Amino acid sequence: MAPVLEKQLPGAAGQGDNNKEDEEGQNLWTSILSEVSTSSSSKLPSGKNILVFGEDGSGKTTLMAKLQGAEHNKKGRGLEYLYLSVHDEDRDDLTRCNVWILDGDLYHKGLLKFAVTPQSLPDCLAVLVADMSRPWTIMESLQKWASVLRDHVDKLKIPPEDLREMEQRMVKAFQEYTEPEDATPSSPRRAPTSGEDEAIVLPLGDNTLTHNLGIPVLIVCTKCDAISVLEKEHDFRDEHFDFIQSCIRRFSLQYGAGLIYTSVKEEKNLDLLYKYIVHKLYDFQFASPASVVEKDAVFIPSGWDNEKKIGILHENLTTIRPEDPFEDFIVKPPVRKLVHDKEINAEEEQVFLMKQQSLLAKQPATPTRGATESPGRTTSGSPRPAGRAVQPSATSSPMASVKKPDPNMKGAANEGVLANFFNSLLSKKTGSPGSPGTGAVGAGVQGSAKKTGQKPGLTDVQAELDRMTRKQDSVVSANNVPPTENEA
């Protein structure tokens, strides 16, 4: 029996080793499966939504396209759709976050039913966009779009217990906010808080979360690079921007919202905005503190602000009280650029000339004084003796004081004299005896040249001009004689 027992003992030992190996193998597969199940349950959730509201031209689509990483952005109508890629580097997980951009026209607010349903509302984040380049529209815009969102939430008819649970979650998140201590990367997921930390909460202020929507709200002021333009062109001062910031922060307290100033042009606070959005939706760790030092790069996370901190801004207000209406102090400046543009835009030359031509064509033709009197003068322009020409100068007629007539009154007679003069010069230059039209003018010039023994030159021209001047004076004097004397 002993040998048999000796043979069985090694076999039993080998069987026990196999059982141990099987148990270890089963434990290994169990650990792998449990790890896979744990990692699958901790994956990034899908179906998160960002609802973007704002006026037309406030930069909603441009801002979200920049966060998406797209270089080009196409503005749409109605309800636009984009998505943000969210990457968890710690678990190497990737998901998409839906972005719904509502048109600035209230006519399209009914399209929200395709983006927000009673089931998807708890997974939504509302972004209210305010245009800092037009600060006089900020408060009216925020109130309008917040009311649109409130009306849509009321129409969803969510059960009261579910809505109350969502509101309590917002209050808890607001009260549990703590200042970040270490600046750690935002990719790891946020560690859960302990029970002791949950028990220590601060009470809400009087004007805090009075308009609780049950979802996180973020106010984004775009185009903050326009602050310098407002200072230079519209005489905005630090007091204006402090008043604007205080009004926005008091509005943010009512909805428990965060506030961030951005600029796509200068790429300011864009990365911070993306990190804060994924922190609120996916509970990523967020380590950026609040910043209120730079007036164009303000960042206030939800839960940080209160009435006392806002009161620090009120110390810089000298010409206005904090409770004064927003529209009384932040007014739209008069439009001066349009007038300036009209002054520098010159009209095309051809268009200007055509307008002047049409105006001249519409005016009636007014005959000149010389043209109306020239026919009568030609009839009475017969040569008169030299003795008759001197008599009117000695008379006491009213027209005798006129020494030099108007050049327009000479008419065709002066033109004939000039024509004869130039014809005589041409005839003397060519050596011809003179054209028939020269008459006594050519003969007089040739006779003066023969007497002096010189060729017709400047002296002859001067003599002719003197003779013409004397003749003109005599003609004018003759015309000034009353008709009764001419007939006598």
Side-chain angles (χ1 to χ4, degrees):
M1 297 297 294
V4 175
L5 290 173
E6 291 177 358
K7 290 181 180 179
Q8 290 177 351
L9 289 173
Q15 186 176 1
D17 294 338
N18 292 334
N19 292 335
K20 291 181 179 179
E21 292 178 358
D22 293 341
E23 291 177 0
E24 292 178 356
Q26 290 178 358
N27 294 333
L28 178 61
W29 283 108
T30 302
S31 63
I32 292 175
L33 291 175
S34 62
E35 184 179 354
V36 170
S37 62
T38 304
S39 62
S40 62
S41 62
S42 63
K43 283 185 177 180
L44 292 175
S46 59
K48 298 290 185 178
N49 300 283
I50 301 175
L51 311 176
V52 184
F53 303 88
E55 302 294 331
D56 285 335
S58 59
K60 305 184 297 293
T61 306
T62 305
L63 178 65
M64 290 300 156
K66 195 70 175 179
L67 295 181
Q68 187 185 28
E71 295 296 334
H72 62 281
N73 55 309
K74 297 180 180 179
K75 183 180 179 181
R77 296 289 295 175
L79 186 65
E80 300 180 62
Y81 173 78
L82 297 175
Y83 67 88
L84 300 181
S85 298
V86 182
H87 185 209
D88 187 358
E89 297 178 357
D90 186 37
R91 293 175 173 80
D92 196 16
D93 193 11
L94 183 66
T95 188
R96 286 186 176 182
C97 180
N98 303 316
V99 180
W100 304 93
I101 305 175
L102 185 64
D103 192 275
D105 191 354
L106 290 178
Y107 175 79
H108 302 285
K109 66 180 181 179
L111 298 175
L112 279 177
K113 62 182 180 181
F114 299 104
V116 184
T117 61
Q119 295 76 22
S120 64
L121 180 63
D123 296 325
C124 291
L125 166 70
V127 176
L128 305 181
V129 177
D131 188 358
M132 186 56 73
S133 65
R134 296 175 293 176
W136 47 88
T137 63
I138 288 179
M139 296 309 301
E140 181 182 359
S141 174
L142 293 177
Q143 294 171 0
K144 178 176 70 174
W145 294 112
S147 63
V148 169
L149 181 57
R150 165 56 71 184
D151 294 342
H152 182 72
V153 172
D154 294 340
K155 291 179 181 178
L156 295 178
K157 297 181 180 180
I158 300 176
E161 57 274 9
D162 295 341
L163 187 59
R164 191 178 302 110
E165 182 182 355
M166 294 170 58
E167 293 177 354
Q168 290 297 328
R169 194 183 304 119
M170 287 295 302
V171 173
K172 182 180 178 181
F174 192 92
Q175 291 177 331
E176 290 180 351
Y177 173 81
T178 56
E179 287 282 352
E181 298 178 358
D182 300 328
T184 56
S186 62
S187 57
R189 296 179 63 86
R190 178 182 174 184
T193 57
S194 61
E196 296 179 357
D197 294 337
E198 292 180 357
I200 302 175
V201 294
L202 297 176
L204 297 178
D206 296 336
N207 297 323
T208 304
L209 280 174
T210 55
H211 300 72
N212 195 343
L213 297 176
I215 60 175
V217 180
L218 177 61
I219 298 176
V220 180
C221 292
T222 57
K223 304 181 183 180
C224 291
D225 52 278
I227 290 180
S228 59
V229 179
L230 293 173
E231 291 177 337
K232 295 178 182 178
E233 297 185 2
H234 302 300
D235 298 331
F236 273 62
R237 303 183 302 274
D238 291 341
E239 184 180 11
H240 292 82
F241 298 113
D242 290 340
F243 182 73
I244 294 172
Q245 185 186 143
S246 66
C247 292
I248 299 176
R249 288 170 64 176
R250 282 184 292 178
F251 179 86
S252 301
L253 279 182
Q254 297 176 359
Y255 290 86
L259 172 63
I260 184 170
Y261 283 20
T262 63
S263 172
V264 175
K265 183 179 180 180
E266 298 179 354
E267 296 187 357
K268 185 174 296 184
N269 281 352
L270 297 182
D271 186 58
L272 182 64
L273 173 62
Y274 174 80
K275 291 179 180 179
Y276 188 72
I277 288 176
V278 297
H279 161 67
K280 299 298 290 185
L281 287 176
Y282 298 96
D283 202 21
F284 279 15
Q285 186 175 357
F286 186 75
S288 298
S291 175
V292 293
V293 177
E294 299 181 9
K295 59 186 175 182
D296 58 346
V298 176
F299 171 62
I300 300 175
S302 175
W304 179 86
D305 211 359
N306 54 43
E307 292 287 347
K308 292 183 179 179
K309 294 178 180 179
I310 298 177
I312 298 176
L313 292 174
H314 298 163
E315 298 176 358
N316 301 327
L317 303 180
T318 57
T319 60
I320 192 173
R321 295 176 298 177
E323 59 274 9
D324 287 346
F326 182 83
E327 59 275 5
D328 291 349
F329 188 60
I330 308 299
V331 296
K332 183 178 180 180
V335 180
R336 291 179 293 182
K337 285 188 175 180
L338 297 177
V339 178
H340 184 65
D341 292 341
K342 289 182 179 179
E343 292 178 355
I344 63 174
N345 287 338
E347 190 177 12
E348 294 184 3
E349 182 180 0
Q350 296 299 325
V351 175
F352 173 76
L353 294 177
M354 292 180 65
K355 288 182 179 180
Q356 298 301 321
Q357 184 180 6
S358 62
L359 291 176
L360 292 175
K362 294 178 182 179
Q363 295 179 357
T366 55
T368 59
R369 185 176 179 182
T372 56
E373 297 181 0
S374 57
R377 188 167 295 155
T378 52
T379 54
S380 61
S382 57
R384 302 175 185 272
R388 288 289 302 271
V390 183
Q391 293 177 1
S393 59
T395 60
S396 60
S397 62
M399 300 297 294
S401 61
V402 180
K403 295 182 179 180
K404 293 184 179 180
D406 190 358
N408 295 329
M409 298 177 59
K410 297 177 183 178
N414 291 342
E415 294 179 358
V417 174
L418 291 176
N420 294 336
F421 171 68
F422 286 111
N423 288 333
S424 65
L425 292 180
L426 292 175
S427 63
K428 288 185 289 183
K429 183 175 181 181
T430 55
S432 59
S435 59
T438 57
V441 178
V445 175
Q446 292 178 359
S448 62
K450 291 180 181 180
K451 293 179 182 180
T452 57
Q454 299 177 356
K455 295 182 178 181
L458 297 177
T459 56
D460 299 332
V461 174
Q462 185 66 32
E464 183 65 19
L465 290 176
D466 295 338
R467 188 191 64 78
M468 289 174 58
T469 303
R470 291 193 300 271
K471 185 175 181 181
Q472 292 174 2
D473 293 339
S474 62
V475 171
V476 173
S477 301
N479 291 335
N480 292 335
V481 177
T484 54
E485 296 180 4
N486 290 339
E487 292 177 358

